Tab-separated table of all heavy atoms in Angstrom:
chain	number	residue	atom	x	y	z
A	66	THR	N	-43.651	33.694	-37.725
A	66	THR	CA	-43.748	35.113	-37.346
A	66	THR	C	-43.588	36.117	-38.487
A	66	THR	O	-43.987	37.264	-38.353
A	66	THR	CB	-42.683	35.435	-36.275
A	66	THR	OG1	-41.398	35.098	-36.804
A	66	THR	CG2	-42.923	34.645	-34.992
A	67	LYS	N	-42.983	35.739	-39.613
A	67	LYS	CA	-42.572	36.804	-40.545
A	67	LYS	C	-42.972	36.616	-42.000
A	67	LYS	O	-42.553	37.390	-42.852
A	67	LYS	CB	-41.033	36.938	-40.512
A	67	LYS	CG	-40.427	37.181	-39.151
A	67	LYS	CD	-39.879	38.598	-39.048
A	67	LYS	CE	-39.261	38.893	-37.706
A	67	LYS	NZ	-38.087	38.094	-37.413
A	68	LEU	N	-43.724	35.562	-42.310
A	68	LEU	CA	-43.924	35.276	-43.739
A	68	LEU	C	-44.742	36.329	-44.487
A	68	LEU	O	-44.713	36.370	-45.722
A	68	LEU	CB	-44.548	33.887	-43.935
A	68	LEU	CG	-43.569	32.719	-44.011
A	68	LEU	CD1	-44.289	31.444	-44.395
A	68	LEU	CD2	-42.429	32.981	-44.985
A	69	GLN	N	-45.451	37.155	-43.758
A	69	GLN	CA	-46.233	38.191	-44.444
A	69	GLN	C	-45.356	39.336	-44.963
A	69	GLN	O	-45.808	40.179	-45.722
A	69	GLN	CB	-47.354	38.728	-43.521
A	69	GLN	CG	-46.885	39.573	-42.345
A	69	GLN	CD	-46.415	38.721	-41.161
A	69	GLN	OE1	-45.983	37.589	-41.313
A	69	GLN	NE2	-46.491	39.306	-39.968
A	70	LEU	N	-44.087	39.326	-44.546
A	70	LEU	CA	-43.175	40.420	-44.931
A	70	LEU	C	-42.209	39.966	-46.020
A	70	LEU	O	-41.728	38.836	-45.996
A	70	LEU	CB	-42.347	40.859	-43.708
A	70	LEU	CG	-43.154	41.313	-42.484
A	70	LEU	CD1	-42.221	41.557	-41.307
A	70	LEU	CD2	-43.942	42.590	-42.810
A	71	TYR	N	-41.894	40.869	-46.952
A	71	TYR	CA	-40.863	40.564	-47.958
A	71	TYR	C	-39.535	40.286	-47.249
A	71	TYR	O	-39.256	40.864	-46.194
A	71	TYR	CB	-40.646	41.770	-48.879
A	71	TYR	CG	-41.653	41.894	-49.988
A	71	TYR	CD1	-42.605	42.913	-49.974
A	71	TYR	CD2	-41.634	41.004	-51.066
A	71	TYR	CE1	-43.521	43.047	-50.999
A	71	TYR	CE2	-42.549	41.140	-52.099
A	71	TYR	CZ	-43.500	42.158	-52.067
A	71	TYR	OH	-44.393	42.272	-53.078
A	72	PRO	N	-38.705	39.442	-47.875
A	72	PRO	CA	-37.359	39.260	-47.297
A	72	PRO	C	-36.482	40.457	-47.646
A	72	PRO	O	-36.863	41.310	-48.449
A	72	PRO	CB	-36.862	38.004	-47.999
A	72	PRO	CG	-37.559	37.999	-49.320
A	72	PRO	CD	-38.899	38.667	-49.115
A	73	SER	N	-35.278	40.475	-47.063
A	73	SER	CA	-34.335	41.541	-47.381
A	73	SER	C	-33.776	41.317	-48.783
A	73	SER	O	-33.225	40.247	-49.063
A	73	SER	CB	-33.188	41.502	-46.361
A	73	SER	OG	-32.021	42.028	-46.948
A	74	PRO	N	-33.878	42.295	-49.689
A	74	PRO	CA	-33.295	42.084	-51.025
A	74	PRO	C	-31.768	42.013	-50.988
A	74	PRO	O	-31.156	41.336	-51.802
A	74	PRO	CB	-33.779	43.294	-51.838
A	74	PRO	CG	-34.230	44.304	-50.842
A	74	PRO	CD	-34.538	43.590	-49.563
A	75	ALA	N	-31.142	42.677	-50.022
A	75	ALA	CA	-29.666	42.697	-49.977
A	75	ALA	C	-29.101	41.510	-49.196
A	75	ALA	O	-27.925	41.183	-49.327
A	75	ALA	CB	-29.188	43.997	-49.348
A	76	VAL	N	-29.930	40.868	-48.400
A	76	VAL	CA	-29.524	39.706	-47.575
A	76	VAL	C	-28.252	40.017	-46.776
A	76	VAL	O	-27.339	39.180	-46.663
A	76	VAL	CB	-29.319	38.424	-48.431
A	76	VAL	CG1	-29.623	37.181	-47.613
A	76	VAL	CG2	-30.173	38.393	-49.679
A	77	ASP	N	-28.215	41.218	-46.193
A	77	ASP	CA	-26.997	41.666	-45.513
A	77	ASP	C	-26.556	40.754	-44.370
A	77	ASP	O	-25.364	40.473	-44.230
A	77	ASP	CB	-27.219	43.081	-44.935
A	77	ASP	CG	-27.025	44.141	-46.011
A	77	ASP	OD1	-26.281	43.873	-46.971
A	77	ASP	OD2	-27.630	45.220	-45.886
A	78	ASN	N	-27.546	40.297	-43.561
A	78	ASN	CA	-27.136	39.512	-42.381
A	78	ASN	C	-26.449	38.207	-42.794
A	78	ASN	O	-25.426	37.827	-42.243
A	78	ASN	CB	-28.310	39.252	-41.428
A	78	ASN	CG	-29.499	38.595	-42.115
A	78	ASN	OD1	-29.527	38.457	-43.345
A	78	ASN	ND2	-30.485	38.181	-41.335
A	79	LEU	N	-26.981	37.539	-43.813
A	79	LEU	CA	-26.387	36.274	-44.257
A	79	LEU	C	-25.036	36.520	-44.948
A	79	LEU	O	-24.075	35.754	-44.764
A	79	LEU	CB	-27.361	35.543	-45.192
A	79	LEU	CG	-26.908	34.182	-45.711
A	79	LEU	CD1	-26.545	33.232	-44.561
A	79	LEU	CD2	-28.007	33.548	-46.569
A	80	ARG	N	-24.951	37.597	-45.701
A	80	ARG	CA	-23.668	37.901	-46.364
A	80	ARG	C	-22.592	38.168	-45.316
A	80	ARG	O	-21.439	37.767	-45.453
A	80	ARG	CB	-23.817	39.100	-47.295
A	80	ARG	CG	-24.660	38.759	-48.520
A	80	ARG	CD	-25.132	39.997	-49.228
A	80	ARG	NE	-24.052	40.745	-49.814
A	80	ARG	CZ	-24.077	42.076	-50.002
A	80	ARG	NH1	-25.121	42.788	-49.606
A	80	ARG	NH2	-23.069	42.682	-50.562
A	81	GLU	N	-23.008	38.846	-44.222
A	81	GLU	CA	-22.055	39.137	-43.158
A	81	GLU	C	-21.604	37.840	-42.467
A	81	GLU	O	-20.416	37.635	-42.199
A	81	GLU	CB	-22.705	40.078	-42.145
A	81	GLU	CG	-21.702	40.861	-41.404
A	81	GLU	CD	-22.266	42.194	-40.923
A	81	GLU	OE1	-23.225	42.737	-41.517
A	81	GLU	OE2	-21.723	42.658	-39.930
A	82	GLU	N	-22.591	36.975	-42.216
A	82	GLU	CA	-22.305	35.696	-41.543
A	82	GLU	C	-21.314	34.862	-42.381
A	82	GLU	O	-20.321	34.345	-41.884
A	82	GLU	CB	-23.628	34.936	-41.371
A	82	GLU	CG	-23.529	33.651	-40.579
A	82	GLU	CD	-23.286	33.880	-39.092
A	82	GLU	OE1	-23.821	34.854	-38.540
A	82	GLU	OE2	-22.534	33.074	-38.503
A	83	ILE	N	-21.610	34.760	-43.683
A	83	ILE	CA	-20.760	33.950	-44.559
A	83	ILE	C	-19.379	34.599	-44.711
A	83	ILE	O	-18.348	33.937	-44.619
A	83	ILE	CB	-21.434	33.752	-45.935
A	83	ILE	CG1	-22.700	32.917	-45.770
A	83	ILE	CG2	-20.478	33.097	-46.929
A	83	ILE	CD1	-23.543	32.775	-47.023
Side-chain angles (χ1 to χ4, degrees):
T66 57
K67 305 250 180 64
L68 273 188
Q69 70 278 26
L70 303 173
Y71 278 109
S73 153
V76 210
D77 278 334
N78 55 352
L79 182 55
R80 290 164 66 209
E81 205 153 335
E82 185 71 36
I83 294 174

